[in-house]
Amino acid sequence: MSITETRPETEAASPTPAAPSFVPEPPGLVGWLTTGDHKRIGRLWIVTALVFLVVGGVAGAVLSVERVDAGLQMLSGEAFTALFTLHGTTAVFLFLVPAVLGIATYVVPLQVGASNVAFPRVSALAYWLFALGGAVLLASYVAGGGPGGTDPEAVDLWLVSLAAVNVATSLALLSVLATALGLRAPGMNLRRTPIFTWSVVVGGGLMLLTAPVLVGGLVSTYIAHHYLGAPTAGWGPVAWWFGIPHAYLVAVPAAGAAAEIVPVACRVTYRRHGAAMGAIAALGILGFGAFTAAAGLHEALTIGVGVAAVLPALLFLGLVLDAVRRGTFRLAAPLLFALASAVLLAAGAVVGGFAVIEPLELAGTTWLVAHVHLTLLGGATLGVVAALHWWAPKIWGRAIPDPQGYVQLGLLLAGVLLLSLPDLLLGLLGQPVGIADWETETATVPLGIIAATGGGLTVLGALAVIASLVGLRRGEPAPDDPWGGHTLEWSTGSPPPPGNFDGPVPPITSVTPLLAAETAADVELAGEAAP
Amino acid sequence: MVDVATPAALPPPPLQRPGVLRVGALLSLGASIMLVGSLLGNYFAARQAAEVWPPEGLSIPGTAAGLVIVTMLMSSFTAQWAVAALRVNDRRNAYVAFGVTLVLGAAVVNGVAFIWSQIGAEVATEYGAAFYTVTVACLVLLVGAMVALAVIAFRAMAGDFTPRDTELVSAGVTYWHGVVAIWTVVGYLVFFLEGVTL
């Protein structure tokens, strides 16, 4: 073997770096299977997440029907428990987080002026690991797995597949975060980072530190179940991910999408951009709930964090509403989704604040289910749908018509509210979480019917979103910048060309570079017109 | 005529961001630390719940445990030596440093395997499950770091990297330092805190 002891100097021959060239990817299925392009990977994440959303949504709707009346016995106790955990794991690990990851994988490189995501092969590996892990996770439930599963091997499979999904999530986050931190355009310091990218840095960074904690818990549970003969895996190693305060962390990137949309749609900028960034950062930091994975060590901290999280959520809502008050806008669907997301996130934080106050005795009741639904189904999922509407022209080259958005918003918003409000009342009455047949003297059947209606409407809303995206093939091509955007992704084609930008991105001097460029051009024109 | 640089000829403004490889290494390290922290949390939860910990009759060979930690610490210096050598284009020293680092890593793998063979704890016990989970996870991190460093070393031998372009080497070595730190803490907690036999 020959070893080079002096590196051949080749740089002198090319004093200026060559423009990056992009080899076209193979067409058809091979191209999708071997892709390293962030745009394709992002779309794969989004589409797969939406498929899993249907599974999680249907499971949730069936659960809400089963809970209507103690006499209604559609499901056995074991099946109810399995469906309950299937709904939770699918909704969060297979839909919400992957959907955010898909949007981030697509949008963040464009927002920071990068030609691709950092470590594209890692990003592709993450997607395929996620798709495989998600499919195996669902299969494990069919085989009798899940936390309370009856088949030991299927329970092991559930643990391994959920760990694989979270490893995939971590790898994808690593890629997106490295892009946001290491591939920013010249001049784009963190203060000039678009607020969606900022929310991905905050939420994704902290999630990258909590996902391994979950994986560690799953590994330990697997060892205990497989080698020590623990009868079931238990829901404990996973449940903290949905609880207070970690639910806020999951919602942070979706809140960032809402924060990105509102000022552009209202044709204003935030009066205090730093405050918006600070509110998102505070929500993320307070949502860092890894400590709740260790049972018995966290009660005081959880109470403090649960109450404190109300402040950044309300500050965020205040900033968004201030932008609406000052702005001029039309009622575009993404704006309405973003506003609904911000309001429901704040409502979820307030509900969570009450949940941790011990004298109210709401811990362990359906009040917490309402909190999860308001925060994750309301705040986060509506934020994700807002992002899909907002960036659809960039992602698919077609805009989703507003009327379709209004229908989706009506279904999803009504679904979230009808699903959550009965659980708040039942929580006040003391109904425990995860119980199919709660016997009480109080007439709770009407509340159950309302919640079941909400579950059904939510599923219909999710199907309507998917139908809209499928129908995009027939739409008119969207212009490059249909919204009058402020950030770099709107300066390129819809969808962007290979390499994303036709030329080098100029140095960034503002948090709203396109707005700054437009203002500069206006000033120049005014100067020329002046006598 | 005085040669005056025009604004167009000036170099572009410095990038206000860290290198992407170093960022990737630091993020990976953060995730690795949290993973090991989680496993350690479960280890100590099991320790707190157990009546006797470690099981009676079980002994961790102190010499081997000490050597594992000292060897890991030494490998940090040799790994940094490789970066320093490449920064002054001293490639021969860099190759030696990479080689020594990998040998030290292999020695740690060997040392841990020796400890496993000596303590005689079954996996299907509270102690064994917790002990092996933590040490296997740490060993996986170490082997991953060794593979990464080997790839970097082979790329260096093939002519990659210049004194001004050592970001990948720095990133790999940064991760290596992190793994050394993890091993030092874990080694102290699961070997020495439990009472080694000298």
Side-chain angles (χ1 to χ4, degrees), chain B residues 23-47:
Chain B
V23 169
L26 289 173
L27 291 171
S28 307
L29 190 55
S32 303
I33 289 170
M34 292 303 286
L35 173 68
V36 174
S38 166
L39 295 175
L40 275 176
N42 289 313
Y43 176 88
F44 282 103
R47 186 179 195 263

PDB file of all heavy atoms in Angstrom, chain B residues 23-47:
ATOM      1  N   VAL B  23     -20.121  20.908  14.084  1.00  0.00           N
ATOM      2  CA  VAL B  23     -21.476  20.979  14.647  1.00  0.00           C
ATOM      3  C   VAL B  23     -22.077  19.578  14.729  1.00  0.00           C
ATOM      4  O   VAL B  23     -22.654  19.183  15.747  1.00  0.00           O
ATOM      5  CB  VAL B  23     -22.380  21.892  13.778  1.00  0.00           C
ATOM      6  CG1 VAL B  23     -23.838  21.760  14.189  1.00  0.00           C
ATOM      7  CG2 VAL B  23     -21.944  23.329  13.902  1.00  0.00           C
ATOM      8  N   GLY B  24     -21.900  18.813  13.636  1.00  0.00           N
ATOM      9  CA  GLY B  24     -22.427  17.450  13.627  1.00  0.00           C
ATOM     10  C   GLY B  24     -21.815  16.602  14.726  1.00  0.00           C
ATOM     11  O   GLY B  24     -22.514  15.847  15.409  1.00  0.00           O
ATOM     12  N   ALA B  25     -20.495  16.759  14.916  1.00  0.00           N
ATOM     13  CA  ALA B  25     -19.822  15.981  15.963  1.00  0.00           C
ATOM     14  C   ALA B  25     -20.339  16.359  17.345  1.00  0.00           C
ATOM     15  O   ALA B  25     -20.600  15.491  18.193  1.00  0.00           O
ATOM     16  CB  ALA B  25     -18.316  16.204  15.877  1.00  0.00           C
ATOM     17  N   LEU B  26     -20.506  17.660  17.578  1.00  0.00           N
ATOM     18  CA  LEU B  26     -20.969  18.104  18.899  1.00  0.00           C
ATOM     19  C   LEU B  26     -22.410  17.660  19.158  1.00  0.00           C
ATOM     20  O   LEU B  26     -22.754  17.253  20.274  1.00  0.00           O
ATOM     21  CB  LEU B  26     -20.850  19.628  19.008  1.00  0.00           C
ATOM     22  CG  LEU B  26     -19.419  20.159  19.099  1.00  0.00           C
ATOM     23  CD1 LEU B  26     -19.388  21.680  19.022  1.00  0.00           C
ATOM     24  CD2 LEU B  26     -18.748  19.693  20.392  1.00  0.00           C
ATOM     25  N   LEU B  27     -23.244  17.732  18.123  1.00  0.00           N
ATOM     26  CA  LEU B  27     -24.633  17.277  18.300  1.00  0.00           C
ATOM     27  C   LEU B  27     -24.673  15.774  18.585  1.00  0.00           C
ATOM     28  O   LEU B  27     -25.418  15.315  19.464  1.00  0.00           O
ATOM     29  CB  LEU B  27     -25.453  17.601  17.053  1.00  0.00           C
ATOM     30  CG  LEU B  27     -25.729  19.087  16.783  1.00  0.00           C
ATOM     31  CD1 LEU B  27     -26.359  19.276  15.411  1.00  0.00           C
ATOM     32  CD2 LEU B  27     -26.648  19.671  17.849  1.00  0.00           C
ATOM     33  N   SER B  28     -23.848  15.011  17.840  1.00  0.00           N
ATOM     34  CA  SER B  28     -23.796  13.558  18.080  1.00  0.00           C
ATOM     35  C   SER B  28     -23.323  13.275  19.495  1.00  0.00           C
ATOM     36  O   SER B  28     -23.842  12.382  20.176  1.00  0.00           O
ATOM     37  CB  SER B  28     -22.835  12.881  17.110  1.00  0.00           C
ATOM     38  OG  SER B  28     -23.146  13.223  15.809  1.00  0.00           O
ATOM     39  N   LEU B  29     -22.365  14.061  19.917  1.00  0.00           N
ATOM     40  CA  LEU B  29     -21.825  13.860  21.265  1.00  0.00           C
ATOM     41  C   LEU B  29     -22.889  14.160  22.327  1.00  0.00           C
ATOM     42  O   LEU B  29     -23.036  13.411  23.299  1.00  0.00           O
ATOM     43  CB  LEU B  29     -20.605  14.774  21.448  1.00  0.00           C
ATOM     44  CG  LEU B  29     -19.762  14.548  22.685  1.00  0.00           C
ATOM     45  CD1 LEU B  29     -19.305  13.116  22.773  1.00  0.00           C
ATOM     46  CD2 LEU B  29     -18.566  15.495  22.660  1.00  0.00           C
ATOM     47  N   GLY B  30     -23.627  15.248  22.109  1.00  0.00           N
ATOM     48  CA  GLY B  30     -24.703  15.588  23.053  1.00  0.00           C
ATOM     49  C   GLY B  30     -25.715  14.461  23.154  1.00  0.00           C
ATOM     50  O   GLY B  30     -26.122  14.070  24.257  1.00  0.00           O
ATOM     51  N   ALA B  31     -26.100  13.922  21.993  1.00  0.00           N
ATOM     52  CA  ALA B  31     -27.073  12.824  21.995  1.00  0.00           C
ATOM     53  C   ALA B  31     -26.486  11.591  22.689  1.00  0.00           C
ATOM     54  O   ALA B  31     -27.179  10.905  23.454  1.00  0.00           O
ATOM     55  CB  ALA B  31     -27.487  12.492  20.565  1.00  0.00           C
ATOM     56  N   SER B  32     -25.199  11.324  22.440  1.00  0.00           N
ATOM     57  CA  SER B  32     -24.562  10.153  23.062  1.00  0.00           C
ATOM     58  C   SER B  32     -24.519  10.302  24.580  1.00  0.00           C
ATOM     59  O   SER B  32     -24.776   9.348  25.323  1.00  0.00           O
ATOM     60  CB  SER B  32     -23.136   9.988  22.527  1.00  0.00           C
ATOM     61  OG  SER B  32     -23.138   9.878  21.130  1.00  0.00           O
ATOM     62  N   ILE B  33     -24.188  11.512  25.029  1.00  0.00           N
ATOM     63  CA  ILE B  33     -24.117  11.749  26.484  1.00  0.00           C
ATOM     64  C   ILE B  33     -25.491  11.545  27.115  1.00  0.00           C
ATOM     65  O   ILE B  33     -25.627  10.934  28.187  1.00  0.00           O
ATOM     66  CB  ILE B  33     -23.574  13.165  26.759  1.00  0.00           C
ATOM     67  CG1 ILE B  33     -22.089  13.233  26.409  1.00  0.00           C
ATOM     68  CG2 ILE B  33     -23.798  13.572  28.216  1.00  0.00           C
ATOM     69  CD1 ILE B  33     -21.503  14.626  26.412  1.00  0.00           C
ATOM     70  N   MET B  34     -26.536  12.031  26.442  1.00  0.00           N
ATOM     71  CA  MET B  34     -27.882  11.870  27.003  1.00  0.00           C
ATOM     72  C   MET B  34     -28.297  10.393  27.028  1.00  0.00           C
ATOM     73  O   MET B  34     -28.959   9.946  27.967  1.00  0.00           O
ATOM     74  CB  MET B  34     -28.898  12.683  26.191  1.00  0.00           C
ATOM     75  CG  MET B  34     -28.730  14.179  26.320  1.00  0.00           C
ATOM     76  SD  MET B  34     -28.799  14.801  28.013  1.00  0.00           S
ATOM     77  CE  MET B  34     -30.533  14.678  28.371  1.00  0.00           C
ATOM     78  N   LEU B  35     -27.886   9.652  25.994  1.00  0.00           N
ATOM     79  CA  LEU B  35     -28.210   8.216  25.967  1.00  0.00           C
ATOM     80  C   LEU B  35     -27.554   7.504  27.144  1.00  0.00           C
ATOM     81  O   LEU B  35     -28.207   6.754  27.890  1.00  0.00           O
ATOM     82  CB  LEU B  35     -27.743   7.598  24.650  1.00  0.00           C
ATOM     83  CG  LEU B  35     -27.874   6.078  24.552  1.00  0.00           C
ATOM     84  CD1 LEU B  35     -29.335   5.668  24.527  1.00  0.00           C
ATOM     85  CD2 LEU B  35     -27.165   5.533  23.318  1.00  0.00           C
ATOM     86  N   VAL B  36     -26.253   7.766  27.327  1.00  0.00           N
ATOM     87  CA  VAL B  36     -25.545   7.109  28.423  1.00  0.00           C
ATOM     88  C   VAL B  36     -26.086   7.601  29.768  1.00  0.00           C
ATOM     89  O   VAL B  36     -26.239   6.815  30.715  1.00  0.00           O
ATOM     90  CB  VAL B  36     -24.023   7.358  28.299  1.00  0.00           C
ATOM     91  CG1 VAL B  36     -23.294   6.809  29.512  1.00  0.00           C
ATOM     92  CG2 VAL B  36     -23.491   6.710  27.033  1.00  0.00           C
ATOM     93  N   GLY B  37     -26.423   8.897  29.827  1.00  0.00           N
ATOM     94  CA  GLY B  37     -27.001   9.435  31.060  1.00  0.00           C
ATOM     95  C   GLY B  37     -28.300   8.732  31.410  1.00  0.00           C
ATOM     96  O   GLY B  37     -28.559   8.413  32.581  1.00  0.00           O
ATOM     97  N   SER B  38     -29.104   8.488  30.384  1.00  0.00           N
ATOM     98  CA  SER B  38     -30.371   7.786  30.614  1.00  0.00           C
ATOM     99  C   SER B  38     -30.130   6.374  31.134  1.00  0.00           C
ATOM    100  O   SER B  38     -30.776   5.924  32.089  1.00  0.00           O
ATOM    101  CB  SER B  38     -31.147   7.749  29.295  1.00  0.00           C
ATOM    102  OG  SER B  38     -32.194   6.839  29.364  1.00  0.00           O
ATOM    103  N   LEU B  39     -29.176   5.683  30.523  1.00  0.00           N
ATOM    104  CA  LEU B  39     -28.878   4.311  30.962  1.00  0.00           C
ATOM    105  C   LEU B  39     -28.290   4.312  32.376  1.00  0.00           C
ATOM    106  O   LEU B  39     -28.596   3.435  33.186  1.00  0.00           O
ATOM    107  CB  LEU B  39     -27.909   3.649  29.979  1.00  0.00           C
ATOM    108  CG  LEU B  39     -28.469   3.437  28.570  1.00  0.00           C
ATOM    109  CD1 LEU B  39     -27.397   2.882  27.636  1.00  0.00           C
ATOM    110  CD2 LEU B  39     -29.666   2.504  28.597  1.00  0.00           C
ATOM    111  N   LEU B  40     -27.469   5.324  32.663  1.00  0.00           N
ATOM    112  CA  LEU B  40     -26.928   5.421  34.025  1.00  0.00           C
ATOM    113  C   LEU B  40     -28.040   5.691  35.035  1.00  0.00           C
ATOM    114  O   LEU B  40     -28.015   5.168  36.160  1.00  0.00           O
ATOM    115  CB  LEU B  40     -25.887   6.543  34.091  1.00  0.00           C
ATOM    116  CG  LEU B  40     -24.466   6.186  33.686  1.00  0.00           C
ATOM    117  CD1 LEU B  40     -23.584   7.432  33.717  1.00  0.00           C
ATOM    118  CD2 LEU B  40     -23.866   5.103  34.587  1.00  0.00           C
ATOM    119  N   GLY B  41     -29.008   6.514  34.611  1.00  0.00           N
ATOM    120  CA  GLY B  41     -30.151   6.775  35.492  1.00  0.00           C
ATOM    121  C   GLY B  41     -30.878   5.486  35.833  1.00  0.00           C
ATOM    122  O   GLY B  41     -31.224   5.235  36.996  1.00  0.00           O
ATOM    123  N   ASN B  42     -31.083   4.664  34.814  1.00  0.00           N
ATOM    124  CA  ASN B  42     -31.754   3.376  35.053  1.00  0.00           C
ATOM    125  C   ASN B  42     -30.880   2.452  35.897  1.00  0.00           C
ATOM    126  O   ASN B  42     -31.383   1.690  36.726  1.00  0.00           O
ATOM    127  CB  ASN B  42     -32.106   2.718  33.718  1.00  0.00           C
ATOM    128  CG  ASN B  42     -33.237   3.437  33.018  1.00  0.00           C
ATOM    129  OD1 ASN B  42     -34.253   3.746  33.633  1.00  0.00           O
ATOM    130  ND2 ASN B  42     -33.056   3.755  31.753  1.00  0.00           N
ATOM    131  N   TYR B  43     -29.562   2.529  35.680  1.00  0.00           N
ATOM    132  CA  TYR B  43     -28.621   1.717  36.471  1.00  0.00           C
ATOM    133  C   TYR B  43     -28.758   2.074  37.957  1.00  0.00           C
ATOM    134  O   TYR B  43     -28.888   1.195  38.815  1.00  0.00           O
ATOM    135  CB  TYR B  43     -27.194   2.002  35.976  1.00  0.00           C
ATOM    136  CG  TYR B  43     -26.094   1.324  36.749  1.00  0.00           C
ATOM    137  CD1 TYR B  43     -25.658   0.045  36.407  1.00  0.00           C
ATOM    138  CD2 TYR B  43     -25.477   1.962  37.821  1.00  0.00           C
ATOM    139  CE1 TYR B  43     -24.643  -0.570  37.104  1.00  0.00           C
ATOM    140  CE2 TYR B  43     -24.455   1.355  38.528  1.00  0.00           C
ATOM    141  CZ  TYR B  43     -24.039   0.093  38.168  1.00  0.00           C
ATOM    142  OH  TYR B  43     -23.036  -0.519  38.864  1.00  0.00           O
ATOM    143  N   PHE B  44     -28.779   3.390  38.237  1.00  0.00           N
ATOM    144  CA  PHE B  44     -28.839   3.787  39.649  1.00  0.00           C
ATOM    145  C   PHE B  44     -30.225   3.585  40.245  1.00  0.00           C
ATOM    146  O   PHE B  44     -30.355   3.384  41.456  1.00  0.00           O
ATOM    147  CB  PHE B  44     -28.357   5.232  39.806  1.00  0.00           C
ATOM    148  CG  PHE B  44     -26.858   5.330  39.762  1.00  0.00           C
ATOM    149  CD1 PHE B  44     -26.205   5.783  38.638  1.00  0.00           C
ATOM    150  CD2 PHE B  44     -26.095   4.905  40.836  1.00  0.00           C
ATOM    151  CE1 PHE B  44     -24.827   5.830  38.578  1.00  0.00           C
ATOM    152  CE2 PHE B  44     -24.713   4.939  40.790  1.00  0.00           C
ATOM    153  CZ  PHE B  44     -24.074   5.409  39.664  1.00  0.00           C
ATOM    154  N   ALA B  45     -31.255   3.639  39.385  1.00  0.00           N
ATOM    155  CA  ALA B  45     -32.598   3.322  39.883  1.00  0.00           C
ATOM    156  C   ALA B  45     -32.654   1.855  40.318  1.00  0.00           C
ATOM    157  O   ALA B  45     -33.202   1.525  41.383  1.00  0.00           O
ATOM    158  CB  ALA B  45     -33.635   3.592  38.797  1.00  0.00           C
ATOM    159  N   ALA B  46     -32.049   0.982  39.500  1.00  0.00           N
ATOM    160  CA  ALA B  46     -32.006  -0.445  39.860  1.00  0.00           C
ATOM    161  C   ALA B  46     -31.144  -0.645  41.107  1.00  0.00           C
ATOM    162  O   ALA B  46     -31.474  -1.455  41.983  1.00  0.00           O
ATOM    163  CB  ALA B  46     -31.444  -1.250  38.691  1.00  0.00           C
ATOM    164  N   ARG B  47     -30.068   0.103  41.196  1.00  0.00           N
ATOM    165  CA  ARG B  47     -29.151  -0.007  42.350  1.00  0.00           C
ATOM    166  C   ARG B  47     -29.875   0.387  43.642  1.00  0.00           C
ATOM    167  O   ARG B  47     -29.728  -0.252  44.676  1.00  0.00           O
ATOM    168  CB  ARG B  47     -27.966   0.926  42.111  1.00  0.00           C
ATOM    169  CG  ARG B  47     -26.839   0.848  43.111  1.00  0.00           C
ATOM    170  CD  ARG B  47     -25.758   1.838  42.679  1.00  0.00           C
ATOM    171  NE  ARG B  47     -24.491   1.621  43.336  1.00  0.00           N
ATOM    172  CZ  ARG B  47     -24.084   2.281  44.412  1.00  0.00           C
ATOM    173  NH1 ARG B  47     -24.871   3.176  44.957  1.00  0.00           N
ATOM    174  NH2 ARG B  47     -22.905   2.028  44.940  1.00  0.00           N
TER     175      ARG B  47
END
